[in-house]
Amino acid sequence: MLQYTADILMGLGALGATIYCMVLARRLKRFNQLENGMGGAIAVLSAQVDDMTKALNRAQATSASSAEQLRTVTERAEQATQRLELLLATMNQTPAPAAAAPAPPPAPEPAADARRHQRVLRRRLRPSDLEAAE
């Protein structure tokens, strides 16, 4: 009798495990469906990550080329500034030609025009100037 009861319990356990496995198989099948399950969401997200990676690579390449162009333009501007400073320094040091007659002084302008024609001179700060200020 004990053997008979053990066989019945073993059969019921096997039946319960079979039902549990079938439920899990259905859930897994729904989970992996590409159209409306998590598999579809994962596939869409994976495609978006690939697109974003490509866009990031393009943006990095563009920014690198822009930085290089900016660097070359800045170097050219610094060289031009140095040449202009040198030219201005040599112009201030050369004496005026003796044969040329001095030009007459300009006529005074009205106050409104004088304010409008004011020049603003800017001087570039050098690192040595900044250290002295600190």
Side-chain angles (χ1 to χ4, degrees), residues 72-90 121-126:
T72 58
V73 169
T74 303
E75 288 173 1
R76 286 178 46 206
E78 287 177 356
Q79 291 172 356
T81 302
Q82 290 173 353
R83 283 183 283 185
L84 283 174
E85 287 175 351
L86 182 63
L87 181 63
L88 286 174
T90 56
L121 297 177
R122 297 179 123 182
R123 195 177 120 213
R124 268 189 346 166
L125 290 178
R126 293 188 172 86

Side-chain angles (χ1 to χ4, degrees), residues 28 53 58 93 133-134:
L28 186 60
T53 303
R58 283 193 306 263
Q93 292 176 357
E134 291 175 357

Side-chain angles (χ1 to χ4, degrees), residues 5 8 25 31 39 41 43 59 65 70 75 79 81 84 98-99 112 123 128 131:
T5 308
I8 290 175
F31 182 78
S65 67
L70 183 60
E75 288 173 1
Q79 291 172 356
T81 302
L84 283 174
R123 195 177 120 213
S128 60
E131 291 171 1

